[in-house]
Amino acid sequence: MHTVKLSLGERSYDIEIGANLDEAGARLQGLCLGRKMAVVTNPTVKGLYGGRLIESLKAGGFLVMSIEIPDGEQYKNLDWVNSIYTALLINSFDRKSALVALGGGVIGDLTGFAAATFMRGVPFVQVPTTLLAMVDSSVGGKTGVNHPMGKNMIGAFYQPKKVLMDLSVLRGLPREELLSGMAEVIKYGVIRDAAFFDYLEKNREKILSLDPDALEYVVRRSCEIKAEVVSKDEREGGLRAVLNFGHTVGHAIETAENYRMRHGYAVAVGMVYASRLAHKTGLCGAAVPERVEHLVRSYNLPSDLSALGRKPAVAALMDTMQLDKKAEGGKVKFVLPKRIGEVVITKEWDEGALRDILKS
Amino acid sequence: MHTVKLSLGERSYDIEIGANLDEAGARLQGLCLGRKMAVVTNPTVKGLYGGRLIESLKAGGFLVMSIEIPDGEQYKNLDWVNSIYTALLINSFDRKSALVALGGGVIGDLTGFAAATFMRGVPFVQVPTTLLAMVDSSVGGKTGVNHPMGKNMIGAFYQPKKVLMDLSVLRGLPREELLSGMAEVIKYGVIRDAAFFDYLEKNREKILSLDPDALEYVVRRSCEIKAEVVSKDEREGGLRAVLNFGHTVGHAIETAENYRMRHGYAVAVGMVYASRLAHKTGLCGAAVPERVEHLVRSYNLPSDLSALGRKPAVAALMDTMQLDKKAEGGKVKFVLPKRIGEVVITKEWDEGALRDILKS
């Protein structure tokens, strides 16, 4: 097992990579949690891992109930957060009672927001079960739900007390889910670590066959980079925005297509497009978008919108980007690569070039 | 004008007591707010002060829209928070756009929670228009809404960027609203300042006739005490709980009676009952509940439940207290006076005595 520490003063916590689900109850001792605990999950994940986790928590002395949210991004909304509040109140939860998010990004974001806002904040623990949640959403304290007018428009910065990752659960993950997570992994290489990008180019087969050592390295390095960025800028005053590489266009695609495309797939397209935009804006050579596109494709991720069947209208994508949370005064900030391993955050980008790229 | 500073590191802010509504636009310069601003208010307050505030903000260079919430505690819920999100999204608000709460506690709590959770947090300013909001809810960063199963069960700790108090608006306040605020003022004397309690005993007429100097002193001293307590314990890990003196029984009355009784009136009864409980538990002499009851009555506030017509059942009140956010492991912590000016927070109180007091 490998522990990555996210350093945020009194809100610091451990990300335990390679922890065994059956040890969860023991691993949550010493965090000053109350006895009552609610595991929030969806029916699919509950069927696979709910029993093991709940047994382990009970063995650790906790009184455990479970709360089920239907499976899907469309349930990541305020109504389902409210259903969590109601369940907690019916069961007399208090301010020390903890929520445990068992699932992917939808469950983690929704549960985190419920924990942030129930009684003005109760402790919570992330137990991510997808690669995407392990390398991205479970780490760093962004919680929230969608509004019909935009993704993650409602939320809070709220850190978990611990993140427990049992890598063996990735063996049960559908292929597309695994690939979706790889898009975020590739992102870390582009934004902060050229050597990691090389590693991903050279170890494709090991990673995709879920070689345990390769998988642990991929998750660990991703979490290290995210933890480093978040510890320097928790609330996205500046640096943290680098994590949005590929997400500006990616979110616009998701919104315009009503989440028909997987998050990681949309981010993959977004990374390729942002790299092309960087090149056309004169920030980097042609080799950068070529290498990004090649790596994305080698992990069977889409590099353009042809996978959608019909393309969303360019105007609709541009409009959606202007509504993005990261937009300020109507001008979108893009994260653009200068080279593999280094990006800049900039409002200076060529709008005509972006339209051409979206059309192509 | 008198400024009380609430010291919380980078989240510190000024409480400007005696600021003129017509200067609001100028007073919000230099806070790094975006240009867009939404004034959240209710129809009554908007009719009285909305025009002046909005004109002043426009004169300060802000683009101002207003959002109306119907008047009443029953609208302090998640549905109305959602209506604020929708209005902000329709008007393309971004992360720097500010919310301005113009109204009493309901507007302040609801607007603060919307600000805390829209795009994971946007700046907000409090412009309280009731005495209760000035001396209590607008200061200290408790935001939130009610759940059908309990008051303020959904919320966040989120500090405003500034609190602007124009004391002249109190002249337009209904008498019962002013008295309701006085209950919280009396609270500060009991918990932290015997000399202030004396002042309230001796200056009843001046205060109730809204003598400007007396009013400024009452608001200032209340804000100073609250700011001192909150700066030492923002998230209610310990000391801040002293502010809940009178609120344990008070909240139970409000919940059991579905908010038919004004907050300050319920707190007044709660303070008298808590003082009696302190005496019966052996913490203080009989003079303490007597002085508290006398002062409460002298401000025309209720000292028992006879004002309700029929009394709520003792069992219902006891049950509701157990659901209180401050309860931990099912045992309610009471704030009980040792003498005027000093309280203790304790789980050691006589349950039989409390039942007798509630019955009497």
Side-chain angles (χ1 to χ4, degrees), chain A residues 98-109:
Chain A
L99 302 193
V100 179
L102 174 69
V106 169
I107 290 293
D109 288 1

Side-chain angles (χ1 to χ4, degrees), chain B residues 97-109:
Chain B
S97 308
L99 301 194
V100 179
L102 174 70
V106 169
I107 290 293
D109 287 3

Side-chain angles (χ1 to χ4, degrees), chain B residues 49-70:
Chain B
Y49 311 112
R52 276 173 66 197
L53 178 64
I54 290 170
E55 279 317 302
S56 157
L57 295 172
K58 284 182 177 167
F62 296 106
L63 297 169
V64 190
M65 67 175 282
S66 69
I67 298 173
E68 283 184 48
I69 308 291

Side-chain angles (χ1 to χ4, degrees), chain B residues 28 30-35 37 62 96-98 123-125 161:
Chain B
L28 298 184
L31 292 176
C32 285
L33 308 176
R35 283 197 74 202
M37 202 168 255
F62 296 106
K96 296 227 164 162
S97 308
F124 92 111
V125 173
K161 295 291 180 199

Side-chain angles (χ1 to χ4, degrees), chain A residues 1 10 42 70 81 92 103 147 150 181 191 220 223 230 245 277 294 306 326 349:
Chain A
M1 204 195 73
E10 61 185 14
N42 68 39
V81 175
S92 303
H147 184 280
I191 65 171
R220 173 160 71 84
C223 288
V230 170
F245 173 61
L277 180 60
H294 185 263
S306 58
K326 284 99 195 171
W349 46 272

Side-chain angles (χ1 to χ4, degrees), chain B residues 94-252:
Chain B
D94 65 35
R95 286 178 171 179
K96 296 227 164 162
S97 308
L99 301 194
V100 179
L102 174 70
V106 169
I107 290 293
D109 287 3
L110 182 82
T111 306
F113 185 64
T117 53
F118 182 65
M119 293 188 175
R120 298 198 188 94
V122 296
F124 92 111
V125 173
Q126 292 268 22
V127 186
T129 59
T130 66
L131 180 62
L132 188 62
M134 288 181 186
V135 300
D136 185 23
S137 57
S138 72
V139 172
K142 279 197 180 178
T143 73
V145 294
N146 301 327
H147 184 281
M149 289 180 69
K151 197 171 152 76
N152 294 326
M153 284 294 169
I154 305 163
F157 288 98
Y158 195 70
Q159 301 294 341
K161 295 291 180 199
K162 185 166 276 195
V163 187
L164 291 177
M165 302 184 185
D166 183 334
L167 298 180
S168 71
V169 305
L170 297 179
R171 305 209 158 267
L173 205 62
R175 193 70 171 175
E176 305 77 40
E177 275 299 318
L178 189 79
L179 300 178
S180 186
M182 283 309 299
E184 296 284 353
V185 172
I186 291 168
K187 180 189 80 177
Y188 292 113
V190 180
I191 65 172
R192 294 295 268 194
D193 189 345
F196 187 47
F197 191 93
D198 291 346
Y199 177 89
L200 297 174
E201 286 180 329
K202 289 177 186 134
N203 292 275
R204 182 185 159 279
E205 281 192 41
K206 267 194 184 172
I207 294 167
L208 289 182
S209 63
L210 302 177
D211 172 87
D213 291 341
L215 210 54
E216 179 169 325
Y217 179 67
V218 158
V219 173
R220 172 160 73 83
R221 191 69 199 111
S222 298
C223 288
E224 282 170 355
I225 293 172
K226 180 145 189 188
E228 180 221 337
V229 169
V230 171
S231 68
K232 286 179 180 160
D233 176 24
E234 185 181 9
R235 298 178 75 92
E236 201 161 323
L239 175 67
R240 183 166 180 163
V242 299
L243 299 174
N244 295 316
F245 172 61
H247 284 62
T248 308
V249 172
H251 280 166

